[in-house]
Amino acid sequence: MTTPFMTIDALLVGTPAPFRNGDYSAIAKRPVTGPVRVTWDGFEHDAVADPIHHGGWDKAIHLYPQDHYGWWRDRKPDHPLLDAPGAFGENIASRGMTEADIFLGDRFSLGSAVVEVSHGRQPCWKLDHRFGARDVMATIVKTARSGLYFRVIRQGEAASGTRMELLERPLPGWSIARIFQLLIAGGHRNEPDAVRALANMPLLAEAWRERARKLAA
């Protein structure tokens, strides 16, 4: 049986910069040349502008599948952001697996580091502003093309052009796409038992467990 894997097109980092009306954001990340140090907090030289909603143990590294870029280009022809990795503020631009193929708690190699899937990415207004459009956030909610977050299990070093191989899959019933549909896209109304299960799932990021608890109440 072939081990599932993703290919890394690029690794990206960014620092806070003026964004809108006095707000700062590090969403405009740029590809790194050469190896990147992977620390408990994410990639070395990467930073966040809003530590309350970004960064931390459960949001150390953001991955967005490049597999979605063609779909986005069909809907936003000639948009310059979609000409290269980084349109969605991702740290890892990968291809080969999407949110439907990646599951909560999956552990992947990332060079000599090991990372673990903690939850999906909940879109916010910054994506609409970045694209100069009013529908990016809503489209992500409707389609679950959300991207996802990793926590770092083992520090190390990684580089683009390499593979992220699946090492462990403890929860094969809980794809990121399914969890996103349940907790972000309104699916909780149809599967209350599943939402209650998520509220007590240790591998799920605390912010989404809290969301599950509120939805289950």
Side-chain angles (χ1 to χ4, degrees), residues 1-21:
M1 182 177 177
T2 303
T3 300
F5 69 91
M6 294 177 278
T7 301
I8 301 172
D9 283 0
L11 300 177
L12 306 95
V13 300
T15 54
F19 191 64
R20 188 190 74 173
N21 298 334

Side-chain angles (χ1 to χ4, degrees), residues 3-137:
T3 300
F5 69 91
M6 294 177 278
T7 301
I8 301 172
D9 283 0
L11 300 177
L12 306 95
V13 300
T15 54
F19 191 64
R20 188 190 74 173
N21 298 334
D23 289 316
Y24 279 68
S25 176
I27 196 171
K29 300 186 187 300
R30 296 289 181 265
V32 175
T33 301
V36 179
R37 179 70 184 162
V38 184
T39 73
W40 302 123
D41 295 325
F43 290 167
E44 191 174 37
H45 305 306
D46 191 48
V48 298
D50 178 6
I52 294 176
H53 298 103
H54 300 283
W57 167 245
D58 283 330
K59 293 183 178 179
I61 298 171
H62 171 40
L63 177 147
Y64 196 83
Q66 302 302 283
D67 312 69
H68 296 326
Y69 270 53
W71 186 91
W72 282 106
R73 288 188 197 104
D74 288 343
R75 282 145 187 83
K76 299 194 175 297
D78 303 319
H79 199 297
L81 282 178
L82 297 170
D83 290 341
F88 299 89
E90 62 265 34
N91 297 115
I92 301 176
S94 65
R95 65 180 66 249
M97 301 174 73
T98 70
E99 298 85 352
D101 312 306
I102 300 171
F103 295 74
L104 178 65
D106 278 2
R107 289 191 175 186
F108 287 90
S109 61
L110 178 56
S112 58
V114 174
V115 294
E116 180 180 88
V117 177
S118 59
H119 63 317
R121 189 255 190 94
Q122 184 172 353
C124 70
W125 64 268
K126 291 182 178 179
L127 285 170
D128 282 357
H129 183 70
R130 178 159 167 76
F131 274 83
R134 296 183 178 181
D135 62 343
V136 177
M137 182 173 72

